Amino acid sequence: PAAPGPAGRPGRPRALEQASYWLLYVVAFPAALLHWNADNDGRALLCALAAAVAVTCIAAAHRRS
């Protein structure tokens, strides 16, 4: 079980959200731009999809809170 948060509510798991932010800002988004600039469209698309998954995970974590 999660540790109690403010006002006795259970705290939400932050590991998925933190990993999603790291994936989005440190890996996927910059990599998509670099691959796009290098005319490597396939890898740019793959990285952009990974960034979209990260955004979806972040949004889901915020909806649960």
Side-chain angles (χ1 to χ4, degrees), residues 1 7-8 12 14 20 22 26 35 38 44 55 57 62-63 65:
R12 64 184 168 144
R14 305 228 3 131
S20 297
W22 186 84
V26 177
H35 286 301
V55 168
C57 290
H62 282 278
R63 277 193 297 266
S65 63

Side-chain angles (χ1 to χ4, degrees), residues 1-61:
R9 295 187 323 237
R12 64 184 168 144
R14 305 228 3 131
L16 178 62
E17 183 180 5
Q18 290 172 347
S20 297
Y21 278 113
W22 186 84
L23 175 65
L24 176 61
Y25 293 116
V26 177
V27 178
F29 186 68
L33 293 176
L34 288 172
H35 286 301
W36 185 265
N37 286 333
D39 292 328
N40 192 343
D41 296 339
R43 287 191 182 175
L45 178 61
L46 183 63
C47 292
L49 289 173
V53 168
V55 168
T56 303
C57 290
I58 292 167

